[in-house]
Amino acid sequence: MTFLDRILETKKQEVKKLRSMIPYSVWEEKMALMPQPNSFVQALSNQSPLALIAEIKKASPSKGVIASDFDPIAMAKSYEAGGAHALSVLTDEQYFQGSTAILQSVRAVTDLPILRKDFIIDEWQIYEARAIGADAVLLIVAALTDDQLVSLYRTVQSIGLEALIEVHSLEEWERIRPLHPRIVGVNHRNLHTFEVDLSMTERLSQVIDEDILLISESGIRDHSDVMRVKDFGAKGILVGETLMRYGSEHVKQGIAHLLFGANYK
């Protein structure tokens, strides 16, 4: 069983519990109280040198705890002050030490669009995302069947959210092409082997439509990596670990270094 398989088994149990606890009528009431979602497409379009989705992440299975003094509220404020165009918040508890409560706390202190980053396999998770203040959700092609992708993408659109659809190969891109997605993320980290290959952005940029926002994810550590994926054709980047390690006090300089090559002081 691969790491992704283990996560998906956990998610099935989490969804089963979520469905047993909360009926759709409750989600409907909660969603009706939420303000209009912020547009990821609008926030990420035509940014220079690239759009930045800054991620709030305490830990990962491959690296362990990334931020021992984890303060999501301070980090969100610093990301916004540093010029991030959108935020990504991990809500997976067992493997990434995230939570829906963290996303809600971040929503309370920023107007930036927020991506709920989790392993979405069921529409209940999408309703939950809307109810806690997310503006977009992550759909991982490797975790879903074609039927699931179509169904979940339609659910996302039906409640006014947007989806960052994540692929790891050209074959996965072909699976989502019929959906005509607005935002596609290319994860440089293979979820089965954990190997990182930045050139995946280059290969994908050669086949996707020009009007799609191509977002490079994982393995982006410095300004040279940013310029590399930009030259490959990326229009944005999603960065978590690299920025989290700066801490809230220094991440503004970290963003400047990442995007513009400014000297970190």
Side-chain angles (χ1 to χ4, degrees):
M1 180 179 288
T2 67
F3 172 68
L4 179 59
D5 291 333
R6 291 199 299 272
I7 290 181
L8 295 179
E9 283 301 315
T10 300
K11 289 299 158 186
K12 289 176 184 177
Q13 296 305 313
E14 290 178 1
V15 166
K16 183 177 180 180
K17 181 178 180 180
L18 188 64
R19 278 184 168 271
S20 69
M21 293 173 56
I22 305 179
Y24 175 73
S25 59
V26 172
W27 292 134
E28 196 171 34
E29 292 174 5
K30 289 179 178 292
M31 291 189 291
L33 296 174
M34 300 302 296
Q36 184 74 16
N38 298 313
S39 172
F40 250 70
V41 171
Q42 183 176 340
L44 301 179
S45 296
N46 303 313
Q47 300 293 354
S48 180
L50 286 174
L52 172 63
I53 305 173
E55 187 159 270
I56 295 173
K57 175 167 66 172
K58 180 178 181 179
S60 75
S62 60
K63 298 297 179 66
V65 174
I66 296 168
S68 57
D69 56 346
F70 184 62
D71 186 339
I73 292 176
M75 210 63 196
K77 291 179 178 179
S78 295
Y79 275 157
E80 184 167 13
H85 305 106
L87 303 179
S88 169
V89 180
L90 265 295
T91 58
D92 173 80
E93 295 187 24
Q94 182 164 331
Y95 299 96
F96 290 87
Q97 299 187 34
S99 70
T100 55
I102 291 172
L103 193 150
Q104 288 177 296
S105 70
V106 170
R107 175 77 291 162
V109 299
T110 181
D111 291 325
L112 291 178
I114 297 176
L115 171 75
R116 179 188 184 178
K117 194 172 185 185
D118 209 318
F119 295 81
I120 304 294
I121 61 171
D122 187 272
E123 61 186 358
W124 249 238
Q125 294 168 288
I126 298 172
Y127 300 143
E128 182 180 47
R130 178 76 175 97
I132 63 176
D135 304 288
V137 298
L138 180 72
L139 297 180
I140 302 172
V141 176
L144 302 167
T145 66
D146 288 349
D147 287 344
Q148 285 177 311
L149 279 167
V150 171
S151 177
L152 293 176
Y153 191 52
R154 286 176 177 170
T155 298
V156 169
Q157 293 177 310
S158 72
I159 60 173
L161 298 184
E162 293 173 325
L164 172 60
I165 305 183
E166 180 179 286
V167 301
H168 301 81
S169 67
L170 298 181
E171 291 76 17
E172 289 182 357
W173 157 247
E174 290 300 329
R175 289 180 56 198
I176 66 170
R177 185 193 290 268
L179 297 177
H180 304 291
R182 297 295 307 279
I183 313 172
V184 173
V186 53
N187 193 335
H188 299 132
R189 178 172 287 109
N190 187 304
L191 290 181
H192 299 288
T193 67
F194 279 90
E195 294 178 352
V196 174
D197 179 10
L198 294 185
S199 67
M200 190 63 230
T201 290
E202 180 180 26
R203 295 196 292 275
L204 190 61
S205 69
Q206 293 173 358
V207 297
I208 72 168
D209 299 331
E210 178 63 28
D211 62 344
I212 291 175
L213 286 168
L214 177 61
I215 309 298
S216 287
E217 309 170 23
S218 296
I220 297 172
R221 306 199 176 281
D222 54 34
H223 182 63
S224 64
D225 289 336
V226 172
M227 290 298 97
R228 185 180 177 194
V229 298
K230 181 179 185 294
D231 289 342
F232 284 162
K235 297 176 182 176
I237 52 175
L238 188 154
V239 183
E241 179 186 345
T242 297
L243 293 178
M244 287 299 300
R245 292 194 185 280
Y246 280 101
S248 60
E249 293 183 359
H250 302 295
V251 77
K252 184 175 182 179
Q253 296 98 316
I255 290 174
H257 172 75
L258 193 68
L259 293 183
F260 304 106
N263 292 327
Y264 170 66
K265 298 180 180 179

